[in-house]
Amino acid sequence: MATLTKDVEDARMGVENLSAKHSMALPLQRTGGGDGLGSTANLNTPMSLFMSGGLHSQDEGASLLKEDDSLLRHTFFSILRHHHPHIAAQVDQIYALSQTAATTGSAGDFKNLETCLAELKPDQRVLVASAFSQMLNLHNLSEEISNAQIEKASRIGEIEASTRSTNKSFKKLIADKLATPESIYETLCNQTVDLVLTAHPTQALRQSLLKKYSSVRHDLDELHNSRMSAYEKAECLESIRAQIQSAWRTDEIRRSKPSPQDEMRQGLSYFHETIFEGLPRFLRRIDTALKNIGQPSLPLDHCLFKFGSWMGGDRDGNPYVTPSTTRDVVITARLAATNLYFKAVEKLMYELSVWRCSDEARALASSIVARQTPDAAMISEERKRKNYAEFWHVLAVSEPYRVILSEVRDKLYHTREVLHHCMVHPHVNVKEYLENDTEAYTTKEEFLQPLTLIYKSLIDSGDQYIAKSRILDVIRQVTTFGMGLVTLDVRQESSKHAAAIDAITTFLGLGSYLEWDEKKRQEFLVAELNSKRPLMPAGLKLTGEVADVINTFKIIAELPSDSMGAYVISMARSASDVLAVVLLQREMGVTNYMRVAPLFETLDDLDNSTDTMKALLGCDWYLQHINGVQEVMVGYSDSGKDAGRIAAAWGLYEVQESLVKVAKEFNVKLTLFHGRGGTVGRGGGPTHLAILSQPPNTINGSIRVTVQGEVLEQQFGEEEAAFRTLDLYTSAVLEASLAPTKAPKPEWREVMVEMSKVSCEAYREVVRKDPRFIEYFQSATPVNELGRLNIGSRPAKRKAAGSIDDLRAIPWIFAWTQTRLHLPVWLGIGGAFKKLADAGKLSLLQEMYKEWPFMQVTLDMVEMVFAKADPRVSLLYEEHLCRPELHQFGNTVRTAFDECKRELLAVESHKALLSDPHTQMLQAKLRLRTPYITPLNILQVHCLKQLRTLEATGEAPDEYKNYVPEDKEVRALLGRDKSVKDDLFRASLQDCLIITMKGISAGMQNTG
């Protein structure tokens, strides 16, 4: 491994020296050991892996991670010292204490850390919390860069990756004689992965900060991968410093909730930054991999990936998603697509200066020139007014491709104008307005026609290399993203549709639909669907939720059908739930029906889903309606909250097998839509392994998966990550289709049934039956304070009730993640393992873990969560926030935690958590994160205690009545909280609490 050359070190030291002129040199005092942030021994840590020519081992990856973490930490610390020298000294001391407590595991060292933090004044808490939150976010950047470097090294063969790329999947499938090159090509040509961006509020960071961190990540990547002079290195490091300072000087707290439109715009930003340009680059790599096995490129018209969205369409329990919201986000997405295509076509016009072309292309160019020539002067002025970059004049037919693209550009500009008109005129029927304007693009087929003609002309003229460059990329972008960029799913709860149908039947004197049994409901719905007369009465007055449901379907009818995806029915329990949505679409004028996907969420609903789908597909009218294609969504979040992780995982496994059998019985192609969250408690996990652990023959070339919150940033926040994400999905789905895992042995199934039953009973015994649980949960976690984060538009609860059932899965997981107990992930598993081991089945459990991907992935994820957990921290929450009467309950829970960890390690045959060599990088990451996270936990506990006391009594402690911070910047920051008026003590508690929530989320790399 080459070391850093002297000019790199000189450049970096030059930046340090430049900064020193503007900061105070402090003699930093520390107690308790540890390196500290400001240690002069560490300030000049050499960046020995920068521009080293790549990584050659996982050890080097871990070293790179540590050095990047050190660089960013010290850069931040110098900025903190410049702005707040006294706070910098405190942060340095706290970090040293936290390092010591993390290293030794000593209760005394942990107590020293707690004592130090307890002595902080309210304004100091805010700044200290913010400092540790910022450092955690910067540390995450170092992890992302390390991951990207390891990925690059893996792709060029310098190190062996733990998961396969598509190219490696090709080689393995052929080498193991599981597939031929021809079958691989055929499978890819029929394979589609649909990634659905959701509005689930699990991204705790503000978009403003994400942008700044993205710039830091880019500069850090440049330092690793670019050849730079000493001056360029210094400038790059200055850029990093500038962005870190800008992040520090930005209010990290969202002061108001985002609207669904805001969420959609944030989601679309990933298309602008990585997805739109990254997809064609990835498809080029697939073409190259196919060429290496003697196969042609992917067909022009094949979509290997599709992209959907729930942002602005998911109205389940979210009153802020209205029909007008859905209309707005569809127009917004189409505008984003049009703008991206406009820029792409302008680039093509510069590149395609070729004069040779096919007769068909020349004829089209000649006809365009003939139409434009009489109005040449006017067209030229108009194009100048539109601020086109170049090519204002009517072009000569001697540049045929530019002529054709000039008309495409004009139509794209006009399409954008039409969409702007629709946006500002809310009563315009968007679909009709687009279709009636011949100068605007309505469908991707219209747009693709001239592009495909150019592509074929270049091929026919012998310019195949030009054809397979930028024009191919644009064709693939249009094929994949269409005119809508993403398709919008609509989601609503089944009872809302039933209430709408009931309003109609009651008004017509047909009786109450809600009072009918399932047989009568189905008979009524099928009869109406077969009938040609309308059902919707003209005089029906709509109010409340019924009006919202009906108006949603009316808006769907007015939107372009290529912008609409699936209509997802949450809490679906019967065939009539699906038929009702189809009928409402017809009654409200939807001509191209949205496909309807029932969502089965709770364990009971999953168990009954097979019977539901049999009844639905057994309906002749519906079977003919779907034309052999059905989508079913399975929910990981609510099933886990309902029954615990193991019972939910096995329930989902079994139901997928059963649903595939039902679909096969009716000769229907089934696509399973996986509603996975980011956390293990909500079904999260590594993409490649998660797909390969699915039941055999349940994917068959097509899969839909939700991408939520912080996962969206992790998978698409950076170019290398986006490429890796696309690669993992492609290779995993390909392998799952061509070489599915073997079905579990009968004895394994018997064990899973028993383990599922025992773990579910143990889980529910605590969560549902123990009368102490609700109070403990609400006291020992910040669940009731999560709404202050303003990270999403929807409420945390579906209903204003106090039960676990009404609480959404995200805050349920979020709250336990904050306390680092992670109870929903492991509760019930330990007792199930122990019972099976006592019955002499430990060796069978070990066999299952060793040989069965489903068991491996499930238990590895639980082990990872145990490695993140810290019972000392959860005990601190309990001691400060719970009544003494609840402490025994907490002891019982922690005893179950220890038992589960012990039994888990026995089943895995591991000596300790993360003791396998393949978890080396994860160990390094967790070691670096922990000293940042624990101070935030302790600060959160003290803030919660004081805030709850303040809200209960209405009075601040005597020493903080009429509290005014000495630091004017802190006064100004706290004054931004308009909810507390002039109560700066309350504002300090609220701000500190919110910052700790965000920081812990960053450290755990999960919210909900």
Side-chain angles (χ1 to χ4, degrees), residues 603 640-647 753-770 772-773 812 823-835 889 892-893 896-897 899-900:
L603 192 61
K641 180 166 71 78
D642 175 45
R645 186 69 259 139
I646 284 289
V753 169
E754 185 177 359
M755 185 161 61
S756 177
K757 180 183 178 182
V758 173
S759 67
C760 181
E761 289 174 352
Y763 176 90
R764 288 177 173 172
E765 193 68 34
V766 174
V767 173
R768 297 187 177 277
K769 297 181 182 180
D770 195 310
R772 300 168 294 177
F773 179 78
W812 166 247
L823 177 141
V825 176
W826 55 263
L827 184 61
I829 297 176
F833 279 158
K834 188 174 187 308
K835 183 175 181 179
F889 177 83
T892 302
V893 169
F897 175 94
E899 177 191 57
C900 186

Side-chain angles (χ1 to χ4, degrees), residues 4-173:
L4 184 69
T5 56
K6 186 176 184 297
D7 60 334
V8 177
E9 183 66 15
D10 290 344
R12 198 169 67 82
M13 289 303 298
V15 178
E16 293 291 344
N17 293 334
L18 182 65
S19 170
K21 297 178 182 179
H22 304 288
S23 61
M24 296 179 64
L26 294 173
L28 300 174
Q29 303 296 321
R30 289 185 297 281
T31 60
D35 292 334
L37 289 167
S39 168
T40 55
N42 288 334
L43 274 173
N44 299 325
T45 302
M47 298 176 289
S48 61
L49 295 174
F50 280 11
M51 296 175 44
S52 61
L55 301 177
H56 300 90
S57 71
Q58 291 283 350
D59 287 340
E60 291 181 4
S63 298
L64 172 67
L65 171 64
K66 189 173 182 179
E67 292 188 3
D68 283 351
D69 176 75
S70 179
L71 170 68
L72 295 178
R73 184 174 72 245
H74 292 134
T75 302
F76 170 77
F77 186 75
S78 69
I79 291 166
L80 179 64
R81 189 170 55 192
H82 169 67
H83 290 291
H84 303 282
H86 180 61
I87 294 296
Q90 291 175 312
V91 169
D92 186 62
Q93 180 185 21
I94 292 164
Y95 180 76
L97 290 170
S98 188
Q99 273 190 316
T100 302
T103 303
T104 66
S106 161
D109 290 331
F110 187 85
K111 187 64 178 178
N112 289 339
L113 175 61
E114 184 191 352
T115 301
C116 180
L117 288 162
E119 292 172 353
L120 297 176
K121 295 178 180 178
D123 53 313
Q124 293 171 337
R125 287 182 193 166
V126 173
L127 292 176
V128 169
S130 189
F132 278 93
S133 177
Q134 292 278 359
M135 287 188 289
L136 270 166
N137 288 316
L138 293 172
H139 168 78
N140 285 346
L141 295 183
S142 68
E143 288 194 15
E144 291 169 16
I145 289 296
S146 175
N147 292 342
Q149 292 295 314
I150 290 172
E151 163 60 18
K152 288 179 181 177
S154 169
R155 264 208 311 269
I156 60 178
E158 291 182 342
I159 62 174
E160 185 65 32
S162 58
T163 53
R164 282 186 287 277
S165 65
T166 304
N167 186 48
K168 289 180 180 177
S169 291
F170 287 4
K171 293 177 180 178
K172 176 179 170 53
L173 288 167

Side-chain angles (χ1 to χ4, degrees), residues 356-357 401 455-467:
R356 293 179 181 84
C357 68
Y401 299 133
Y455 174 83
K456 291 179 178 178
S457 172
L458 288 166
I459 295 290
D460 293 344
S461 302
D463 296 322
Q464 66 271 22
Y465 297 116
I466 302 174

Side-chain angles (χ1 to χ4, degrees), residues 667-685:
N667 197 28
V668 167
K669 178 177 172 54
L670 178 69
T671 295
L672 288 167
F673 184 5
H674 298 261
R676 302 170 65 89
T679 57
V680 177
R682 295 182 56 240

Side-chain angles (χ1 to χ4, degrees), residues 556-704:
I556 292 170
E558 295 180 359
L559 294 172
S561 58
D562 62 343
S563 281
M564 308 310 295
Y567 195 109
V568 179
I569 308 170
S570 55
M571 297 298 172
R573 295 189 170 98
S574 62
S576 64
D577 290 336
V578 175
L579 296 171
V581 170
V582 180
L583 178 61
L584 287 170
Q585 287 191 75
R586 191 198 72 176
E587 290 300 312
M588 298 309 123
V590 179
T591 51
N592 294 317
Y593 291 177
M594 295 179 69
R595 64 186 188 276
V596 183
L599 166 54
F600 302 110
E601 300 174 86
T602 67
L603 192 61
D604 286 344
D605 290 344
L606 288 168
D607 290 341
N608 296 328
S609 62
T610 304
D611 291 337
T612 300
M613 292 309 299
K614 278 185 178 180
L616 181 62
L617 298 178
C619 171
D620 293 338
W621 185 93
Y622 185 77
L623 190 60
Q624 185 177 0
H625 168 73
I626 61 174
N627 196 27
V629 179
Q630 177 64 48
E631 183 174 314
V632 172
M633 185 171 185
V634 289
Y636 289 66
S637 303
D638 284 293
S639 58
K641 180 166 71 78
D642 175 45
R645 186 69 259 139
I646 284 289
W650 180 241
L652 285 159
Y653 191 98
E654 286 191 305
V655 78
Q656 290 179 67
E657 291 181 313
S658 298
L659 289 172
V660 167
K661 289 179 182 176
V662 171
K664 189 174 182 180
E665 179 184 338
F666 288 93
N667 197 28
V668 167
K669 178 177 172 54
L670 178 69
T671 295
L672 288 167
F673 184 5
H674 298 261
R676 302 170 65 89
T679 57
V680 177
R682 295 182 56 240
T687 298
H688 194 273
L689 297 176
I691 291 175
L692 291 180
S693 67
Q694 298 301 309
N697 304 312
T698 58
I699 292 179
N700 297 322
S702 67
I703 189 173
R704 287 194 100 204

Side-chain angles (χ1 to χ4, degrees), residues 193-200 202 267 270 275 306-311 633 673-678 682 687 704-716 725 729:
V193 176
D194 196 344
L195 302 179
V196 184
L197 285 55
T198 77
H200 289 74
T202 61
Y270 291 96
I275 299 174
K306 295 180 181 178
F307 293 88
S309 172
W310 278 16
M311 300 173 187
M633 185 171 185
F673 184 5
H674 298 261
R676 302 170 65 89
R682 295 182 56 240
T687 298
R704 287 194 100 204
V705 184
T706 55
V707 184
Q708 306 178 8
E710 80 279 4
V711 180
L712 185 53
E713 176 67 18
Q714 291 163 8
Q715 294 189 345
F716 293 105
T725 298
Y729 273 111

